[in-house]
Amino acid sequence: QLHFVESGGGLVQPGGSLRLSCAASGSTFETAAVLWFRQAPGKRREGISCITSTGAVTDYATSVKNRFTISRDNAKNTAYLQMNNLEFEDTGVYYCAARDHLIYTCPVADYGVHSWGKGTLVTVSS
């Protein structure tokens, strides 16, 4: 079973950047897809990005495409979310989680997702 810990959140001005990390413990990280989600205050949780176990396939929500980049380093058991050109609407708690059996596609959805972390808060404010 995987256990994730997110880090890297903080306060940033609009247009700024942050890099979130998702550190995993457990022996199955390298075989699991990793997904990032976020939940803004008063809103439903939103899928942000997905990366397959090898990193060969990635996908993004329309709201973050061309601004956010997901990556992973299986040797370090860590996934990352590079967030550039941040907007007020990007404020929220960011979570990472895992999903099995994704090879050719990586849908950004919470179906079949497990091993949720506790999240890291990102606040975009001037």
Side-chain angles (χ1 to χ4, degrees), residues 8-13 17-18 121-126:
L11 175 64
V12 63
Q13 292 186 337
S17 298
L18 281 176
L121 176 63
V122 172
T123 303
V124 183
S125 176
S126 55

Side-chain angles (χ1 to χ4, degrees), residues 18 20 34-40 43-51 57-71 80-84 86-87 89-97 106-111 113 116 120 122:
L18 281 176
L20 305 184
V34 175
L35 294 91
W36 283 95
F37 297 82
R38 71 183 177 194
Q39 188 163 21
K43 295 188 176 181
R44 295 182 62 182
R45 187 174 60 203
E46 173 189 18
I48 294 299
S49 186
C50 179
I51 186 168
V57 179
T58 60
D59 203 1
Y60 299 89
T62 301
S63 58
V64 305
K65 197 168 290 186
N66 300 320
R67 298 189 298 122
F68 290 10
T69 303
I70 192 171
S71 62
Y80 304 96
L81 187 68
Q82 177 66 44
M83 306 188 297
N84 298 329
L86 283 160
E87 304 171 351
E89 293 75 18
D90 294 319
T91 293
V93 179
Y94 284 69
Y95 303 89
C96 59
C106 210
V108 184
D110 59 6
Y111 175 78
V113 171
W116 293 87
T120 185
V122 172

